[in-house]
Amino acid sequence: MAERTVLITGGTRGIGRALALRLAADGIDLVLGYAHDEGAASQTQAEVEALGVRCATVRADLSTETGVDELFDRALAAVPRLDGVVSNAGGTFHIGPLVDTPVDVIQRVLDLNLRAAILVARRAVGALPEGGVLVNVSSGAATTGSPGEYVHYAAAKAGVDALTKGLAIEAAAHGVRVVGVAPGTTETDVHADAGDPGRPARVASRHPMGRVAHPEEIAEVIAFALSPAASYVAGTTIRATGGA
Ligand code: NAD
């Protein structure tokens, strides 16, 4: 993917940061979206640029339509064109049975994990040229349902899988591939943000491999989905769940 530019939403920490470093090592220029952590954005930008590629960062709240438009408008002003978009921003924010989950938390989870994913995908397919790729980051939760933890998040991610399927068919007519990647539990700060920093260690034994994923292992699968090596992969969601 030499001389190409990829936009990663939520690109400055966790899985997005690991992907940014992975793509930068291949010489791919980047635009990294993020919500509010300026420190993490500057640090990741510096790490990426140290690998010899160009990197712009854009702060935008993707849970609003104006935030999604701002991200794409500023990205397209910063780079000549986008060859790939990775719709990665997401979060759980709370852990517990649905009956105990506040409605405002459910709304926030749906706004970020489903509504924003749809709006980002809409702008992405409008911006990507023939040969471009959109990768939607889903979750193994979409098929397990995440009982007792966040079934509303699982439902949102199942919606993302349907988005990937249908949009891939629409976008194929324009030579754009749409692919999903569904990580299993991965060691990032998303769990601490949901109030349960010990979750990866606690759930490791649920996984056939007896451990959760490192962000770099998920980044590798997304990098494959973006690459010409995946030229005949579209409309499907690749599971990276350690067999779970
Ligand atoms: P993370 O919390 O480390 O990173 C999330 C990113 O999303 C951050 O960069 C943040 O800035 C961005 N973001 C959050 N809210 C935003 C908003 N309103 N507007 C714009 N950006 C926003 O999480 P992660 O674990 O790296 O998760 C990345 C993706 O992988 C998410 O879609 C998540 O649902 C999915 N996922 C994670 C796991 C896991 O166990 N970590 C498992 C399955 C799927």
Side-chain angles (χ1 to χ4, degrees), residues 9-17 33-37 60-64 87-93 108 112-113 137-141 150 153 157 181-191 193 199-200 215 218:
T9 71
T12 63
R13 66 175 231 185
I15 291 168
R17 173 182 170 276
Y34 67 100
H36 51 72
D37 188 343
D61 180 1
L62 301 184
S63 58
T64 69
S87 181
N88 165 74
T92 50
F93 311 125
R108 187 178 172 203
L112 179 60
N113 293 282
V137 178
S138 175
S139 170
Y150 24 64
Y153 166 83
K157 291 296 195 181
V181 171
T185 307
T186 306
E187 274 172 7
T188 71
D189 290 336
V190 77
H191 310 288
D193 281 3
R199 183 173 180 273
I218 305 304

Side-chain angles (χ1 to χ4, degrees), residues 4-183:
R4 300 189 78 185
T5 304
V6 171
L7 165 65
I8 307 172
T9 71
T12 63
R13 66 175 231 185
I15 291 168
R17 173 182 170 276
L19 177 65
L21 294 171
R22 168 67 179 74
L23 296 180
D26 271 358
I28 295 169
D29 294 329
L30 295 164
V31 180
L32 307 179
Y34 67 100
H36 51 72
D37 188 343
E38 305 275 357
S42 311
Q43 191 180 328
T44 302
Q45 182 180 29
E47 289 171 336
V48 162
E49 287 174 344
L51 294 169
V53 299
R54 281 166 291 198
C55 179
T57 59
V58 179
R59 178 175 177 165
D61 180 1
L62 301 184
S63 58
T64 69
E65 185 182 344
T66 50
V68 173
D69 283 338
E70 202 181 319
L71 172 65
F72 276 87
D73 292 347
R74 289 179 57 194
L76 290 165
V79 299
R81 67 175 203 175
L82 292 173
D83 302 287
V85 173
V86 180
S87 181
N88 165 74
T92 50
F93 311 125
H94 174 92
I95 291 191
L98 183 63
V99 71
D100 299 327
T101 304
V103 172
D104 63 321
V105 171
I106 295 170
Q107 188 65 57
R108 187 178 172 203
V109 166
L110 293 177
D111 283 350
L112 179 60
N113 293 282
L114 182 57
R115 185 172 182 273
I118 292 169
L119 296 182
V120 165
R122 176 176 171 274
R123 285 296 309 259
V125 294
L128 289 167
E130 191 171 343
V133 188
L134 166 65
V135 178
N136 290 322
V137 178
S138 175
S139 170
T143 44
T144 65
S146 295
E149 295 195 313
Y150 24 64
V151 298
H152 52 295
Y153 166 83
K157 291 296 195 181
V160 170
D161 292 354
L163 169 72
T164 296
K165 178 64 187 168
L167 190 60
I169 296 167
E170 292 185 8
H174 310 290
V176 170
R177 286 191 301 112
V178 181
V179 186
V181 171

